[in-house]
Amino acid sequence: MVVLGSSSSCCSVAIVGAVLVLVLVLNGADLCNGGKTSTFVRKVEKTVDMPPDSDVFRVPPGYNAPQQVHITQGDHVGKGVIVSWVTPDEPGSSEVLYWSENSEHKQKAKGKVNRYKFYNYTSGYIHHCTINNLMYNTKYYYEVGAGHTVRQFWFITPPEVGPDVPYTFGLIGDLGQSFDSNRTLTHYENNPQKGQTVLFVGDLSYADNYPNHDNVRWDTWGRFVERSVAYQPWIWTAGNHEIDFAPEIGENQPFKPFKNRYHVPYRASNSTAPFWYSIKRASAYIIVLSSYSAYGKYTPQYKWLEQELPKVNRTETPWLIVLMHSPWYNSYNYHYMEGETMRVMYEQWFVTYKVDVVFAGHVHAYERSERVSNIAYNIVNGLCVPVDDQSAPVYITIGDGGNLEGLATNMTEPQPKYSAYREASFGHAIFDIKNRTHAYYNWHRNQDGYAVEADSMWFFNRIWHPVDDSTSV
């Protein structure tokens, strides 16, 4: 027993203190020397939601005109499309008429309609219709609103699934409906690389930031993004702002607005819930996970992912992409380490199956990691910091869509070794698959011209070309 205040104890404390300082310095040396923290300084200004009478929220003219039209993939392999829309005045028809660009023969698909109530709000009539057995790589026109006001849109189906099929994905997260959100979407639409499908990493409308989770803001958001999502699929990931759990106003069912409005093809991959599922698209296998559903051992999500990863045939779909909302590697002082328990559960699998890239949101800024893992640690070996691991994915945080909560500007210092590039700006990204070995990735900040790349890297596929693609010196 050491008696505080004795000369021997003071000496002991001094020695222990010196050792602790040395350990911290050594650990700091290992953690420091990260990549690049951008020197770009965005003008500091408040992020403000667009007012309800903004033109981007305009209700389409005509009696019972379909609005909030959006599409997503409707099956596992890209031959199906889910078409969704809302009619405000009466149910109307749930049919979709569709035809290929080179055909005048219109086909019909029959959908379903539902409504929901949330506190003092009652939704319009929400329609979902799945079109199946489409031809690959074909432009289709489609019409909704039969019987009253008919509106026409189009989409292009992906190429047939295959190992060397090029395809271009857009990346957007945490979008919301602010003036900055509009800049992000406009920037994406005008990007000369022309994304064909958006991988959306969660947090859609931010309606829950309004009193009583004002669901009118779900309607305005749906009309805002229609200009993109009615013409190309957005692949949905549920974020924390989709939970809408509000027992204080009697709303005890999580995800109610999201589940009613945004359908996904989860049953096609044997998932038991719409929050985790998978699809194939061109040469990519995309796995969507839920940061806000149970993911511990033996939970439905855990058991599904355990069975799903061995199914991925990298000869057919070389690129393995994972979407989630809460990032596992994040060097901002916002939501710091919130994804840690999920990382502990699943990171070993990501390394074992050589996931190429993980996209997340949640932190309202941008960050790209090197290929690292933190799976070596056990209770006695002390290996508790991330290390370079060429079997690990690159982790990209892209929660920078522009929502009213504003930017995450406070970063942890020093920049961790695993962090390759970080910047507190709003923007979007492009993941452009060239073939089975190479993909080109670039991130665009809203303040730049449409073709300017603020960050970029060549991805080398972990199975077909597993060479070091790190970018930090």
Side-chain angles (χ1 to χ4, degrees), residues 96-242:
V96 175
L97 292 178
Y98 65 98
W99 63 98
S100 67
E101 185 177 31
N102 299 318
S103 171
E104 296 181 357
H105 174 63
K106 294 185 177 181
Q107 301 181 72
K108 290 183 181 179
K110 180 67 175 176
K112 295 181 179 180
V113 62
N114 69 289
R115 302 180 89 182
Y116 74 92
K117 292 184 178 182
F118 191 98
Y119 187 53
N120 59 358
Y121 168 92
T122 301
S123 74
Y125 299 90
I126 304 171
H127 304 257
H128 300 285
C129 180
T130 302
I131 307 173
N132 289 309
N133 301 313
L134 298 169
M135 295 180 289
Y136 284 118
N137 208 24
T138 301
K139 186 174 184 177
Y140 283 90
Y141 294 91
Y142 69 99
E143 291 179 344
V144 291
H148 294 297
T149 303
V150 175
R151 297 184 68 202
Q152 184 182 114
F153 304 89
W154 55 265
F155 59 83
I156 298 174
T157 53
E160 186 173 359
V161 173
D164 289 302
V165 179
Y167 202 75
T168 306
F169 292 101
L171 275 303
I172 298 175
D174 299 69
L175 185 58
Q177 46 196 302
S178 72
F179 290 98
D180 288 294
S181 312
N182 194 30
R183 293 185 190 101
T184 298
L185 188 55
T186 301
H187 218 225
Y188 169 69
E189 291 170 313
N190 288 285
N191 190 319
Q193 292 177 287
K194 296 303 174 192
Q196 297 164 276
T197 291
V198 169
L199 304 179
F200 191 88
V201 295
D203 282 2
L204 285 68
S205 71
Y206 286 79
D208 63 341
N209 275 21
Y210 284 81
N212 301 317
H213 295 231
D214 185 1
N215 273 227
V216 170
R217 278 293 181 173
W218 275 103
D219 293 319
T220 54
W221 193 83
R223 294 195 293 270
F224 161 50
V225 297
E226 181 188 87
R227 70 197 206 214
S228 172
V229 71
Y231 298 93
Q232 64 174 245
W234 286 28
I235 307 305
W236 302 111
T237 309
N240 58 300
H241 284 276
E242 279 69 73

Side-chain angles (χ1 to χ4, degrees), residues 225-469:
V225 297
E226 181 188 87
R227 70 197 206 214
S228 172
V229 71
Y231 298 93
Q232 64 174 245
W234 286 28
I235 307 305
W236 302 111
T237 309
N240 58 300
H241 284 276
E242 279 69 73
I243 299 174
D244 278 306
F245 178 69
E248 69 278 7
I249 55 174
E251 291 297 340
N252 299 308
Q253 180 188 337
F255 299 103
K256 184 196 283 188
F258 178 75
K259 283 176 64 177
N260 277 280
R261 293 171 181 270
Y262 293 92
H263 283 193
V264 298
Y266 68 96
R267 292 186 180 92
S269 56
N270 298 314
S271 170
T272 56
F275 312 117
W276 58 89
Y277 63 99
S278 71
I279 59 170
K280 301 175 186 176
R281 198 164 186 88
S283 49
Y285 201 103
I286 298 161
I287 291 177
V288 178
L289 296 179
S290 176
S291 300
Y292 304 99
S293 303
Y295 48 74
K297 202 164 188 178
Y298 308 128
T299 60
Q301 184 170 199
Y302 179 98
K303 290 192 290 186
W304 176 82
L305 184 59
E306 185 178 34
Q307 295 168 3
E308 181 70 12
L309 284 166
K311 295 178 183 177
V312 182
N313 179 358
R314 304 293 281 275
T315 301
E316 178 191 49
T317 49
W319 294 94
L320 181 51
I321 300 169
V322 175
L323 310 181
M324 62 180 68
H325 187 64
S326 186
W328 293 357
Y329 288 92
N330 161 36
S331 69
Y332 289 80
N333 285 319
Y334 301 80
H335 307 305
Y336 183 63
M337 294 188 78
E338 280 185 21
E340 184 66 4
T341 53
M342 193 179 197
R343 182 196 66 76
V344 171
M345 293 303 304
Y346 295 156
E347 187 179 20
Q348 179 65 69
W349 290 350
F350 283 18
V351 174
T352 299
Y353 291 98
K354 293 179 167 48
V355 172
D356 289 291
V357 60
V358 176
F359 293 106
H362 201 36
V363 178
H364 299 165
Y366 173 72
E367 185 165 23
R368 173 175 57 83
S369 82
E370 296 294 1
R371 295 193 184 277
V372 293
S373 69
N374 195 7
I375 56 177
Y377 173 77
N378 63 47
I379 200 166
V380 296
N381 67 13
L383 302 176
C384 58
V385 295
V387 296
D388 294 338
D389 188 340
Q390 288 300 310
S391 292
V394 171
Y395 293 89
I396 292 175
T397 300
I398 189 157
D400 55 355
N403 67 80
L404 79 166
E405 291 182 345
L407 281 168
T409 55
N410 193 330
M411 305 174 187
T412 62
E413 298 294 349
Q415 184 173 7
K417 188 178 178 182
Y418 65 75
S419 176
Y421 184 97
R422 59 185 186 175
E423 179 175 323
S425 291
F426 292 132
H428 74 278
I430 297 288
F431 192 76
D432 186 10
I433 296 173
K434 304 296 187 183
N435 50 40
R436 76 181 67 191
T437 59
H438 289 71
Y440 186 67
Y441 166 82
N442 48 85
W443 174 71
H444 301 254
R445 69 170 75 91
N446 287 353
Q447 281 70 28
D448 294 334
Y450 297 130
V452 176
E453 300 173 359
D455 181 43
S456 64
M457 72 170 283
W458 278 100
F459 274 79
F460 301 145
N461 187 272
R462 291 302 90 190
I463 298 295
W464 293 98
H465 193 53
V467 301
D468 190 340
D469 54 11

